[in-house]
Amino acid sequence: MRSEQEAQLRRRVSQLLEDGTLKVVLGYASGFKGTRPLFVQDTRHVDRLVWNEACEANLTGYLLREPLKEMLDAGNRIGLVVKGCDMRAVNVLIQEGQVDRSKIYLIGMVCEGVRDGSDFSLKCRNCRVQIPEGCDETIGTHTELERLEGNPLEDILKVKAMDLAERWAYWKQELSRCIKCYACRQACPMCYCQECITEKSRPQWIEKAPTLSGNIAYHFIRAIHLAGRCVSCGECSRACPMDIPVDMLTRFVAATIEEEFGYIAGEDVNAKPFLGTYRQDDPEDFIR
Amino acid sequence: MARIGVFVCWCGSNIASTVDVKAVAKAAASFPGVAHATDYKYMCSDPGQNLIRETIESEHLTGLVVAACSPRMHEPTFRRLALETGMNPYLVEMANIREHCSWVHEDKGEATAKAIETVRMLVEKVKRNSPLEEIRVPVTKKALVIGGGVAGIQAGLDIVTAGIPVIMVERSPSIGGHMAQLDETFPTLDCSQCILTPKMVELSQHRLVTLHTFSEIDEVSGFVGNFKVKIRKKARTVDHDKCTGCGICMEKCPAKVSSEFDRGLSDRKAIYVPFPQAIPNKPVIDRSSCIWFTKGRCGVCKKLCPAEAIDFEEKDVIVEEQVGAIVVATGYDLIDRGLYGEYGHGKIKDVIDGLQFERMLSASGPTGGKIVRPSDGATPKTVVFVQCVGSRDDSKGIPYCSRICCMYTAKHAMLYKHRVKDGKAYIFYIDVRAGGKGYEEFVKRAVDEDRVVYLRGRVSRIFEKNGTVFVKGSDTLSGQQVEIRADLVVLATAVTSSHGSRELAQRLRIGFDQYGFFTEAHPKLRPVETTTPGIYLAGACQAPKDIPDTVSQASAAASKVIGLLSSDELIREPLVARVDEKVCIACFMCESTCPYGAIEHVTWKDPETRKEKEVARVNPGICEGCGACLPVCRPKALDLMGFSDEQIYGEINALSDLVKVIHDE
């Protein structure tokens, strides 16, 4: 199915650029170790677009960064190639008023799973959004889809099973390697503040130097800032040059929120932000 | 360079006996930025205040820390003092070394150490305080009263006496509320309608009153002094400007339904005035029972109306009003008839509730004041009254006391005995709560003079056998089970919150308890205020109440309104949240967490880049400074004046020696 999808994607992008519907389309091209993002503005470059198992990245974050942000602000309509899971990120950005839905054109790809190296990505396990919803058009057939078995929280459960001392040692070991390059922040589609709290100096919340206590403060604050917003796309960990599984922290918070409150960030574009809602029957048994 | 003055108070022996105040002052003198530190017996006394005043001038102080009692106690005192000397009052902080220190600790050494650290924190805070100016908000001199029962009427009358216009919104077609349904009132047995109707008339004819009956509150926005209210005037289907109130329509209308006012003891027409003394005394059409609206034919009223006042096409109208204050007086309801199946309420004809009995007693009621059995119209010779039906019954979900039942049941039994001389009246009770003025004497009169029999115990079952009603219960004083053959049973059913109270509370953004009663700001000291400034409570919407208490609370609420609206501007403390527009990312998470609706969307132009963007703005007139918006603001564009991140951070860092931190290994 993938090669047919790829051919159709190229055809459609070509048409959309030609008839002036879109100024630019963001998709995937072949690159070092899999794929890289590709901005197609000219129909001559359409053939560089690919659709394959290596299209793991969530490209949504680019919408809020240059040069796309400037193009959007100037009133251009922008095309974006998305998987079902990427749609959750788009939805959160719409929910938070950061993206005007009418300014973007979503080309949804029916997805048979993407790979992180040789294995299917954790996020593909037990995937419920293989067929993207809410797109302007969808490419691919709905039949013959095989659901990928497994638990997307496998890595988290492993750490959770450790005893307290063991877990502390694990995180100390992982987070002490952080070099505070902020690649995780830059890669995250939800980290779009123009002035990040890490840059605040009055007061200075987070030590600038990569010390363990400062690193812990940074990653914990990041997890809290993504509470109810993290869509578990894993971009942060993919971006980490030190191979720290930083996404485990934000995904753990997301999993807790789903378990306790039944809220999945980005699942419903019309839902109110998680931290901004209050129901009388909210569970409170975990408050001690 | 900061020049902070630290003033340590002994509070007589309150502080000085447990905290070494001299040591605190000595330690404080060495803190960086402290220019002067001293102690005194009573800082709040005149000599104490003079000491501070003189020191501010002689030492050129830039900020004060008064180490004394709770800021709730004397912060205003010392802030006022600062203002007198020309210092901004928000450069004064209290270190609470009494409630937080001397009163809760015994060891003098440890208490002193804690006091020193507390002062150290506050010194660090004051260094980061910035001068703040009071917020002035203009007010609309007009009040809204929601609910036209005795509470709303009293509040409205008191408010207009002060020359402040009142808009009254009442859900039903007439004002009067439950009090209009009552016959005689305890403990003086004066006629309810005779004392209420003059007030109804006075209110409705007052030049400063706008009456919206058959209307509901659709939307409330704005804030204290400046509320915007959308009132839905439901379609009456009768043009009250044309209607003369002749009554032909009601006479000829063929559609009959049971009367809400008479609680089902009589019928009313689909076009109706709820009771003869209603205000306005002009009919409305109940569209759910009108044949024209349900079946599309009839139109008798329209054909017969000499004034051509019937308008079947009429639609709901939304009226917008601006008011400065709101009094909520929405009253109460009684529990559902189905709640007490074991008492046959709603099933057995001769088992009625207190309000039905009240209608029966009323001279203008369905029986013309005669007490009769609903089943056959005969005069009941034995009447059993049951108290606490629902109230104080956890198993029915109503643990609270309804407060009015003991008294009205005594009154009912008494009035029954006055009208049926040879009748027998029994009252089942748990205990008799007669705490008001003249109440105990009233109950005693029922027992001694009118020979009402009080049986202490609960009723287990009320049932009908061969057309006769039996009441089975226990008399715990004699330890016997009793079964009484009753001609009529009157249940004192529990008072509940008015239907729709929760929805109204959400619209008004005021609190309510688990039973739907509105919550006051403080149960003892702010009993008529809600936590939302400018919104006040009167009557049974807050908790079950009798008429004297309701009227007192209504007058109290009115006096609050008059006080609030007596000046042209409201002065508010500047301890509100503020947005750094440059940093704001317009995610409006703050808007969704703000319980007061204080967040606005505004366009802001960056003075550097000249670019425009949408940002959040905190309306200082609405903001209560609760800080709920702060934690959800990820870039920390929001800060709370007087409790800024920098101030709090400074306080915490002052303790860094005491705090165990995670050290790198």
Side-chain angles (χ1 to χ4, degrees), chain B residues 401-412:
Chain B
C401 165
S402 292
R403 278 193 64 194
I404 54 174
C405 324
C406 287
M407 291 309 296
Y408 80 61
T409 303
K411 176 194 79 178
H412 283 169

Side-chain angles (χ1 to χ4, degrees), chain A residues 96-98 168 172 192-195 197 200 202-205 211-213 216 225 229 273 275-276 280, chain B residues 512 582-589 592-593 613 632-637 645-646 649 662-665:
Chain A
E96 295 180 356
Q98 303 301 318
W168 180 226
K172 246 182 358 193
Y192 53 76
C193 291
Q194 277 138 9
E195 226 176 88
I197 182 175
K200 280 240 163 184
R202 293 185 62 188
Q204 194 191 79
W205 293 93
T211 60
L212 178 61
S213 64
I216 288 174
H225 279 195
R229 308 172 63 242
L275 284 182
Q280 280 226 301
Chain B
F512 54 91
K582 201 175 163 54
V583 180
C584 174
I585 44 168
C587 68
F588 290 102
M589 206 71 114
S592 54
T593 48
K613 66 170 187 177
V632 295
C633 183
R634 298 184 298 275
K636 301 216 168 280
D645 284 345
E646 232 192 313
Y649 215 82
I662 306 156
H663 289 291
D664 293 1
E665 285 163 27

Side-chain angles (χ1 to χ4, degrees), chain A residues 181-227:
Chain A
C181 67
Y182 300 127
C184 46
R185 181 188 76 186
Q186 297 312 108
C188 176
M190 299 310 148
C191 277
Y192 53 76
C193 291
Q194 277 138 9
E195 226 176 88
C196 176
I197 182 175
T198 54
E199 281 135 33
K200 280 240 163 184
S201 54
R202 293 185 62 188
Q204 194 191 79
W205 293 93
I206 296 165
E207 272 178 85
K208 304 257 189 232
T211 60
L212 178 61
S213 64
N215 292 353
I216 288 174
Y218 166 63
H219 287 285
F220 282 16
I221 289 176
R222 209 180 79 84
I224 296 298
H225 279 195
L226 284 159

Side-chain angles (χ1 to χ4, degrees), chain A residues 212-281:
Chain A
L212 178 61
S213 64
N215 292 353
I216 288 174
Y218 166 63
H219 287 285
F220 282 16
I221 289 176
R222 209 180 79 84
I224 296 298
H225 279 195
L226 284 159
R229 308 172 63 242
C230 175
V231 295
S232 308
C233 66
E235 283 304 289
C236 44
S237 285
R238 275 172 25 85
C240 182
M242 302 305 289
D243 285 329
I244 303 168
V246 288
D247 66 321
M248 256 204 248
L249 296 170
T250 55
R251 280 166 49 231
F252 178 63
V253 175
T256 310
I257 288 171
E258 184 182 346
E259 195 181 302
E260 296 286 352
F261 296 92
Y263 183 94
I264 301 173
E267 189 186 40
D268 173 10
V269 68
N270 296 316
K272 289 225 173 95
F274 172 70
L275 284 182
T277 47
Y278 162 76
R279 285 197 321 253
Q280 280 226 301
D281 57 346

Side-chain angles (χ1 to χ4, degrees), chain A residues 73-137:
Chain A
D73 287 347
N76 296 301
R77 201 163 177 209
I78 284 172
L80 183 69
V81 177
V82 288
K83 302 181 290 295
C85 50
D86 304 336
M87 267 313 286
R88 290 177 52 197
V90 176
N91 286 343
V92 174
L93 293 180
I94 294 171
Q95 234 178 358
E96 295 180 356
Q98 303 301 318
V99 168
D100 180 348
R101 179 66 182 84
S102 65
K103 295 259 189 70
I104 53 172
Y105 189 91
L106 297 170
I107 306 169
M109 306 303 285
V110 174
C111 180
E112 293 165 291
V114 290
R115 280 180 203 274
D116 167 18
S118 56
D119 271 347
F120 274 114
S121 286
L122 264 180
K123 66 179 174 186
C124 296
R125 311 268 171 90
N126 200 21
C127 175
R128 284 168 288 191
V129 287
Q130 285 176 279
I131 302 157
E133 267 176 44
C135 298
D136 293 280
E137 64 179 85

